[in-house]
Structure formats: C-alpha cells, structure tokens
Amino acid sequence: MTSGFARYGSLARYKFAWIPYVVVADAEAAHHVLVKNARAYEKSPNYAGLKILLGNGLLTSEGEFWRKQRKLAQPAFHRERLAGFVNEMTSCTGDMLTEWSAAPEAKIDLHRAMMRLTFRIVGKTLLSVDLDGEARAVGEALDVALHWANDYVESVVKIPPSWPTPKNRRFARAKDTLDTLVMRVVADRRLAMARGESTPNDLLQMLLEAKDADTGETMNDEQLKHELLTLVAAGHETTANALSFALHLLAKNTDVRDKLRAEVVSVLGERTPTLQDLPKLSYTLQVVEEALRLYPPAWVFERIALEDDVVGGFTIPKGTILGVAPFVMHRNPKYFPDPERFDPSRFDKATQTERPKHAYIPFGGGARTCIGNAFALMELQLLLAMIVRGWDIDPPADYQLKLEPSVTLRPEGGMPVRLRAVTPRRSTPEERATAR
Ligand code: HEM
C-alpha cells in the first residue's frame, strides 16, 4: 500500500461507483471539514456496515442524540479517571510478560498477543471485568464482523443482512457472540446493584446511572449495548494495531529501539511504571507518535457534505463523500519532510518545527475527535516501555509487512515474530540524574 500522495496531491477527487469522493490530505482542508464548517457534514453512509454491527453508539450516531451520549461518556475519560487505569494497564502487561518469560524464545503472532492484551485492558478499565478467557472467541468474532462491515459498504449491490447467505450467517453468529458478552456484563452489574453490593465507579456504572436531564430516563439495555460494544470495539483493536506497528518499526530501527530502552532503564530501572513516570518517558511517547504517523490505525475517516461547499479551492457538491486520510496526510512532505523515514525526533517538543494542527490527525479532529485519545496514548506509552525494556521482538528475516486497510489499518495475516528476552543493562547514576 503506498500513500498515493506523490501521484495525486493533497486533495484528490474520483468516483466511488457513481458517488463523488474526495481524499483529503491537506491540513487546512481537514480543519475546514472537521472544525470550521463541521456543521455542513456528517458521518458518511459508508459507516452503515459498522452501524449494523455496533448500533447507534458514539462512533456512528449523529446530532443531538450523539451530543447527549458524548456528554455522558466524557467524564469516564477525564484525566483523574485515566490515572486510576495505570495499574490495570501495567498489571495486565506484567501478566503477559510473565507468560512470555516461561517460553522466552517463543514464536508468536504479535498482533494476536496485542489484541488479547488491549482487550483485557478495555474490559478491566471500562467494565471492571476480566475478559481474558473470552479474548480468543471475541477476537475471532470481531474479525468476522469487521470484515463483513467492510465488505458490506464496499459492495455496490447490498445484500440485506437478514438474507441467510453463508456470509450473513457467519456475521450473525459473530454479532451474537459480541452482543451476548456485553449483555452478560450489564446483567451481572444490574444484579450486583439490585443486591445492594458495592459497585465500581467505572464507565459502565456511569452509563447505567446516567439520567436524561429533561426526562429523568436512564439508558435502556439496547442503547447501553450499543455504547459498550462501540467502546470495546473502538478501544482495543486500534491500540493493538498501533503497538504491533510500533514494535515492528523498532525491530527495523534498532538504534531507535536502543535509545528507547536506555530511556526506560534510566527512568524506571526494574520498577513498574506509574503515572508520575509518564512525563519522563518522553522519547517513548515520541516513538508512539511517530508510529501513529506512519501507520495510523484509523487510516481514513469519512464525512458526507450536507450542502454545497468549497474546500481548498475545490467546489464540493452536496452528497460528496470526503475521506479525511491520516495515512496520506502524514506522508505529505509539506508537513513531514522525507515522510517514509521513521524518525521519532520529529515529535521532540524542544526542536520540533511548527506544523498546522490538523496535519497530524491519528485521533481525528473537531467535536468528533477520539474520546479515547488520552487513554490510548497513555496505554501505548506504558505498554511499549514495559515490553521494550526486556524484550527484542524480531520478525523472520524474510517477513514483509503487508497492510490491510480495512475498517482499521492492520497487518495482513497477523505479525509473526520471535521473542528474545534481553537483560537490560543498569542505568548509570548520570542517566538517572538526567531522567529526574
Ligand atoms: C491508537 C488508538 C486509537 C486511534 C488511532 C483512534 C482513532 C480514532 C479516530 C480517528 C476517531 C474519529 C473518527 C471520525 O472522526 O470519524 C475516533 C473516534 C472514536 N474513538 Fe478512537 N482511536 C483510538 C483508541 C480509542 C480508544 C482506546 C477508545 C475507547 C476506549 C476509543 C473510542 C472512540 C470512540 C467512542 C470514538 C467516537 C467518538 C465520537 O464520535 O464522539 N478510541 N478514534
């Protein structure tokens, strides 16, 4: 997959079947669509497949309904809340690394391992349940369901999901697995509440207790299911993909890996990271940001024009679909010189050159920006630090990364690697002093 940037420039128009489609890879134009004139756009009909899967949750809803739901969920992602998630994130990662230590030279599918880890973290932080036993079944169900959603929007003739074709039947089974899991978690919590047991103060509890300001109504089970499914789906595959890509880039750029490891060792030694360590792990964050630049898991997100507009000097007739494409934008040499080079120093806060705000949009922009932005960055920083400190993760010599640009950008066919435990050298007193 190439970015197509060099060939088509920062705004490219073509037809997707009979519908006009414009790829947006220009920061000004993205700002216009996502912020300045956002009211003239809504999510494109290409989210129809996801909507059948996830229902009317935060990712796919619109208008007043979306605004109300976003306001309800937002406090679960406030900074003070996120601080409480650090322990869950590091203890799940610790468990994975302990398993790795039992077979330190193992060959594994790194992407699958990251999916299992981030799924467990979403379950523990947002729902306060350990879903580890469910990870494989849910991973497979999500895989089938997301592929179905992607094929559904890409097919010109849409076969209704209720028709019993083999593909639709597989989708129905996968959706059932996901729905059943979420509804079981909700039912268990309602039971605990009915028994007067003490309940965790998590996102699930907030959504269960949230009341409509006008009517005093609480959310019904169907809506709860939509919101929870959305958060579980949006909140783990994206992060798992980002971690897999980051670790792949580090395997190919051992100088960067060594520098990252030196930072982690000097800041943490052998300790588990805490919230207070995050600002000191600044190079780790730069590596995360650069990996998200080259391989943004949300590689494109779409809007449809509700009225005629002008974007970047182009007339955009009503009904045009705009694909705001981080994958292409992040390779625009105007914002990122020598764009294919993996260079975390681009995000060095001290030296980084000015670039327009919407030139770097792995989490989108404007009101519909990712609700899990800070959650994901924190998770990626913590997990990457812990993994890289003690492990080299190398692909086979003949491995070629192939990208699968589906609902998310993921490595096609998984990511085979061989684990190798390393004994990190101890930091010098000077390094520890600089890290303080
Ligand atoms: C590396 C990880 C992640 C990436 C790259 C990412 C990317 C994005 C992007 C680009 C959007 C905006 C889509 C649009 O404007 O059409 C979005 C929305 C969203 N994301 Fe994330 N995301 C990540 C992690 C998470 C996490 C951890 C959660 C939750 C725990 C989450 C939940 C959501 C939700 C609910 C929305 C819809 C927000 C709304 O419209 O109000 N995401 N994400």
Side-chain angles (χ1 to χ4, degrees):
M1 183 175 162
T2 57
S3 79
F5 181 84
R7 217 162 138 196
Y8 301 109
S10 50
L11 279 178
R13 191 193 332 232
Y14 66 99
K15 287 239 161 112
F16 185 75
W18 57 89
I19 302 163
Y21 194 106
V22 172
V23 178
V24 177
D26 173 82
E28 277 287 308
H31 176 76
H32 180 89
V33 174
L34 300 174
V35 182
K36 203 166 154 204
N37 201 25
R39 46 152 213 88
Y41 296 89
E42 65 177 30
K43 297 245 169 163
S44 98
N46 289 338
Y47 287 93
L50 267 189
K51 205 160 179 161
I52 293 169
L53 169 62
L54 302 175
N56 206 27
L58 271 183
L59 197 62
T60 44
S61 56
E62 284 290 347
E64 236 352 90
F65 182 78
W66 164 78
R67 214 177 312 282
K68 202 180 75 186
Q69 295 297 101
R70 173 102 188 193
K71 220 167 132 195
L72 289 179
Q74 192 71 57
F77 294 92
H78 282 166
R79 231 151 245 295
E80 342 44 285
R81 274 295 165 143
L82 295 184
F85 296 160
V86 172
N87 280 347
E88 297 294 3
M89 291 176 173
T90 55
S91 88
C92 290
T93 312
D95 289 349
M96 180 189 78
L97 297 179
T98 306
E99 268 181 32
W100 284 9
S101 299
E105 302 272 307
K107 288 182 182 166
I108 62 163
D109 177 346
L110 181 69
H111 185 243
R112 187 184 280 258
M114 295 301 108
M115 288 281 274
R116 180 177 157 202
L117 175 60
T118 57
F119 178 63
R120 191 166 174 224
I121 289 175
V122 155
K124 285 209 158 197
T125 51
L126 303 183
L127 313 174
S128 310
V129 287
D130 192 342
L131 300 172
D132 200 32
E134 253 82 17
R136 182 177 280 260
V138 169
E140 282 165 10
L142 205 60
D143 205 39
V144 169
L146 288 174
H147 272 106
W148 180 92
N150 199 54
D151 292 352
Y152 181 79
V153 297
E154 281 185 356
S155 50
V156 180
V157 181
K158 306 227 179 306
I159 298 177
S162 57
W163 288 17
T165 63
K167 224 176 179 177
N168 281 350
R169 281 213 295 267
R170 263 199 312 280
F171 170 70
R173 275 197 302 275
K175 182 165 159 45
D176 191 51
T177 303
L178 300 170
D179 287 356
T180 308
L181 170 82
V182 170
M183 289 325 291
R184 198 193 69 215
V185 173
V186 172
D188 287 350
R189 182 66 62 87
R190 284 206 198 278
L191 191 65
M193 286 163 74
R195 288 183 179 147
E197 290 168 14
S198 79
T199 47
N201 191 14
D202 57 6
L203 173 103
L204 170 59
Q205 198 62 28
M206 282 164 59
L207 295 182
L208 272 167
E209 288 173 5
K211 288 202 169 100
D212 187 295
D214 303 322
T215 62
E217 271 175 40
T218 53
M219 236 180 264
N220 63 27
D221 275 6
E222 195 58 17
Q223 187 56 35
L224 262 174
K225 186 175 82 184
H226 296 171
E227 295 301 356
L228 294 175
L229 261 184
T230 297
L231 285 159
V232 169
H236 89 283
E237 171 157 341
T238 43
T239 339
N241 298 359
L243 269 171
S244 308
F245 289 132
L247 289 164
H248 175 79
L249 285 163
L250 291 173
K252 297 265 162 212
N253 296 271
T254 49
D255 50 334
V256 175
R257 184 195 63 197
D258 294 347
K259 189 171 168 187
L260 193 161
R261 186 173 290 148
E263 174 180 86
V264 178
V265 171
S266 73
V267 173
L268 301 177
E270 286 162 31
R271 281 192 297 110
T272 302
T274 63
L275 184 71
Q276 288 68 35
D277 292 316
L278 289 176
K280 295 179 218 153
L281 292 169
S282 54
Y283 190 66
T284 311
L285 180 60
Q286 283 173 230
V287 170
V288 166
E289 291 174 317
E290 175 69 342
L292 286 170
R293 179 186 72 82
L294 276 172
Y295 299 116
W299 61 287
V300 67
F301 43 91
E302 293 179 344
R303 300 290 185 268
I304 185 165
L306 301 173
E307 54 192 57
D308 294 349
D309 195 11
V310 177
V311 179
F314 283 98
T315 304
I316 302 289
K318 177 180 170 178
T320 304
I321 294 181
L322 289 96
V324 183
F327 188 89
V328 192
M329 174 93 75
H330 295 173
R331 282 169 169 74
N332 187 334
K334 200 161 62 164
Y335 312 128
F336 300 100
D338 193 5
E340 293 295 339
R341 194 160 51 92
F342 175 59
D343 177 8
S345 74
R346 297 178 200 273
F347 292 93
D348 184 335
K349 304 294 175 276
T351 57
Q352 108 187 9
T353 47
E354 278 292 303
R355 67 178 79 93
K357 183 156 178 240
H358 289 96
Y360 182 65
I361 47 168
F363 295 100
R368 300 301 299 251
T369 204
C370 177
I371 201 170
N373 181 343
F375 178 111
L377 284 179
M378 183 173 100
E379 183 180 10
L380 290 169
Q381 206 181 352
L382 289 168
L383 274 51
L384 200 62
M386 287 179 75
I387 295 170
V388 172
R389 172 170 52 188
W391 296 88
D392 279 350
I393 296 175
D394 294 317
D398 58 352
Y399 176 72
Q400 287 286 336
L401 173 64
K402 269 206 181 148
L403 298 175
E404 184 183 339
S406 184
V407 174
T408 64
L409 181 69
R410 37 151 79 180
E412 190 177 283
M415 198 178 262
V417 296
R418 181 193 284 277
L419 303 174
R420 196 153 48 87
V422 290
T423 319
R425 73 177 173 82
R426 292 188 184 278
S427 59
T428 61
E430 293 76 40
E431 282 171 342
R432 285 197 292 276
T434 337
R436 245 172 240 135

